[in-house]
């Protein structure tokens, strides 16, 4: 914010009138007004984000489900709502292209989240203090808005390596992580990179109020061919065991998936709360994957000194695939960060997912 304000002052000093003193004064005032307005809007978007120039990342308070991340400044300026302003004209649909991935907050004050029901794939991972964070991937449909948007982690870079130069919408990252994001084969977009793509939601407390407009970042919907996850879709395999509900626990968070025979979907609960959109639509994936992975100690820490876990999604391990009200034992294999993940049945045959949204919940092996 200070750098933006200094640029605003410089702009004002450089205004030179070519006519009388009265016009010169008016021009100086007009330039200062415009520059300060631009600085205020940028500062509003950055409030509540993890600032790239700071070595700290996510601060947390006392209660594990209500620990807020640190904010850049208590001063905020109101921004327009999600439908304000012109949007890009969508380009013709193409067979494949970059997917959109959005990092989404998942503490109690962030719920209900927007856009989760529209995602093609939702990944859940553990972050500092045993809390959870989501990454939603969009390829076949773009919602009006997604959020609350939060900061990126090192694990995201490996996970996103399976896609062809994806766009990552995130609020910021630790200072030492930003060079890694810049070098990754992706297009990272923070509020300071594209302020028009983000807005602050009225009635939400910072930092849980930052939302992104996907159609400001994507010219077109890339289509299902862009989902190079390695997932296979088709008829259910034989066998399996009946499963009505499954819970995955982190130290300070939990996910519960309950089978709804009437809907033919798994209803998601996070903590004690059923996952719905702000409009009341249930978040209901067709397939849930509980993927057992190694959760390692990374080189990064948050503002309280807690280590940022690194979720290792390259390698192999076991998994359970939930579909059609049954649970299937599976093995997963991902040879490199640039490849998708193969899921196979105990006999080595590919294990099909049900057509529809997929949730992948990473859990400690």
């Amino acid at each position: 914010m200070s750098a933006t304000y200094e640029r605003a002052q410089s702009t004002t000093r450089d205004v030179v009138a070519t006519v009388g003193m009265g016009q010169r004064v008016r021009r100086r005032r007009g330039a200062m007004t415009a520059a300060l307005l631009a600085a205020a809007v940028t500062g509003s978007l950055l409030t509540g984000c993890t600032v790239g120039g700071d070595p700290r990342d996510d601060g947390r308070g006392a209660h594990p489900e209500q620990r807020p991340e640190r904010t850049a400044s208590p001063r905020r300026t109101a921004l327009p709502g999600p439908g304000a302003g012109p949007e890009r004209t969508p380009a013709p649909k193409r067979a494949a292209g970059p997917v959109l991935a959005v990092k989404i907050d998942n503490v109690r004050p962030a719920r209900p989240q927007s856009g989760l029901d529209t995602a093609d794939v939702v990944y859940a991972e553990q972050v500092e203090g045993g809390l959870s964070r989501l990454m939603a991937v969009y390829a076949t449909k773009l919602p009006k808005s997604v959020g609350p948007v939060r900061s990126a982690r090192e694990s995201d870079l490996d996970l996103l390596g399976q896609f062809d130069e994806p766009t990552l919408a995130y609020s910021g990252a630790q200072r030492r992580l930003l060079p890694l994001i810049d070098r990754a084969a992706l297009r990272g977009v923070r509020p300071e990179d594209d302020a028009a793509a983000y807005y602050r939601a009225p009635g939400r407390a910072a930092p849980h109020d930052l939302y992104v407009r996907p159609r400001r970042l994507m010219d077109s919907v890339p289509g299902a061919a862009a989902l190079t996850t390695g997932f296979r879709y088709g008829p259910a395999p034989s066998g399996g065991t009946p499963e009505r509900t499954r819970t995955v626990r982190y130290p300070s968070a939990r996910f519960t998936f309950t089978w709804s025979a009437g809907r033919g979907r798994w209803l998601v609960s996070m903590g004690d709360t059923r996952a719905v959109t702000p409009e009341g639509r249930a978040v209901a994936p067709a397939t849930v994957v509980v993927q057992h992975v190694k959760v390692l100690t990374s080189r990064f820490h948050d503002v309280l000194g807690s280590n940022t876990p690194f979720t290792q999604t390259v390698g192999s391990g076991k998994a359970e695939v939930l579909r059609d009200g049954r649970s299937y034992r599976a093995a997963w294999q991902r040879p490199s960060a640039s490849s998708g993940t193969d899921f196979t049945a105990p006999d080595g045959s590919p294990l099909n997912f049900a057509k529809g949204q997929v949730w992948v919940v990473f859990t400690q092996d």
Side-chain angles (χ1 to χ4, degrees), residues 64-65 106 111 129-132 248-255 270-271:
E65 276 288 340
N106 194 34
R111 303 170 190 149
L131 297 170
S132 63
V248 180
R249 289 180 171 85
Y250 294 168
S252 300
R254 73 178 183 271
F255 297 88
M270 295 180 283

Side-chain angles (χ1 to χ4, degrees), residues 4 23 34 39 42 53 73 89 91 96 104 110 126-127 158 167 192 200 211 253 255 295 297 322 326 355-356 363:
T4 307
Q23 291 180 338
T42 302
S73 167
T89 301
I104 301 178
Q126 183 179 323
V127 293
D158 270 8
T167 295
E192 55 264 51
R200 294 280 174 188
Y211 289 75
F255 297 88
V295 180
T297 299
L322 310 180
R326 302 182 75 85
K355 186 177 180 180
T363 186

Side-chain angles (χ1 to χ4, degrees), residues 102-364:
V102 184
K103 286 308 300 283
I104 301 178
D105 202 353
N106 194 34
V107 292
R108 188 174 296 158
R111 303 170 190 149
Q113 298 100 327
S114 295
L116 274 183
D117 61 320
T118 313
D120 293 285
V121 183
V122 177
Y123 293 99
E125 64 178 345
Q126 183 179 323
V127 293
E128 299 84 359
L131 297 170
S132 63
R133 187 68 51 88
L134 307 175
M135 182 165 68
V137 179
Y138 301 87
T140 62
K141 189 176 181 180
L142 296 177
K144 185 177 182 180
S145 66
V146 180
V149 180
R150 294 311 304 260
S151 53
R153 298 295 187 276
E154 184 183 15
S155 303
D156 303 330
L157 305 184
D158 270 8
L159 193 56
L160 290 172
Q162 65 188 307
F163 302 110
D164 182 16
E165 297 187 355
T167 295
L168 172 63
Y170 67 112
S171 65
Q174 296 182 13
R175 182 178 61 185
R176 291 185 299 156
L177 181 57
L178 288 175
L180 300 183
I181 296 175
D182 291 340
R183 292 197 295 269
L186 57 82
R187 174 192 170 217
V189 185
R190 297 169 292 170
E192 55 264 51
D193 301 321
D194 191 346
Y198 290 86
Y199 70 95
R200 294 280 174 188
R204 288 267 192 168
H208 315 291
D209 61 343
L210 182 66
Y211 289 75
V212 66
R213 304 179 181 98
R215 295 190 181 277
R216 292 291 184 91
L217 298 179
M218 306 287 286
D219 290 324
S220 64
V221 177
L227 293 169
T228 51
T229 56
F231 301 166
R232 296 169 61 101
Y233 300 85
S238 60
T241 58
E243 189 88 50
R244 181 183 177 274
T245 183
R246 177 64 187 270
T247 297
V248 180
R249 289 180 171 85
Y250 294 168
S252 300
R254 73 178 183 271
F255 297 88
T256 299
F257 302 92
T258 303
W259 175 247
S260 170
R263 300 193 56 163
R265 293 289 187 270
W266 298 91
L267 303 179
V268 182
S269 294
M270 295 180 283
D272 297 322
T273 307
R274 180 62 56 85
V276 297
T277 67
E279 299 79 20
R281 295 189 299 272
V283 179
T287 303
V288 176
V289 180
V290 180
Q291 185 173 343
H292 299 261
V293 297
K294 291 182 174 64
V295 180
L296 308 175
T297 299
S298 78
R299 58 187 137 164
F300 301 103
H301 297 78
D302 70 0
V303 66
L304 298 181
S306 298
N307 182 262
T308 301
F310 178 81
T311 300
Q312 191 172 58
T313 59
V314 175
S316 60
K318 63 181 181 179
E320 293 85 49
V321 175
L322 310 180
R323 59 164 295 174
D324 304 315
R326 302 182 75 85
S327 176
Y328 298 87
R329 290 191 299 117
W332 67 269
Q333 184 172 14
R334 188 180 180 211
S336 69
S338 61
S339 63
T341 305
D342 293 323
F343 290 89
T344 54
D347 64 0
S349 62
L351 203 158
N352 292 332
F353 293 178
K355 186 177 180 180
Q357 186 182 78
V358 177
W359 274 58
V360 179
V361 183
F362 298 117
T363 186
Q364 177 76 53

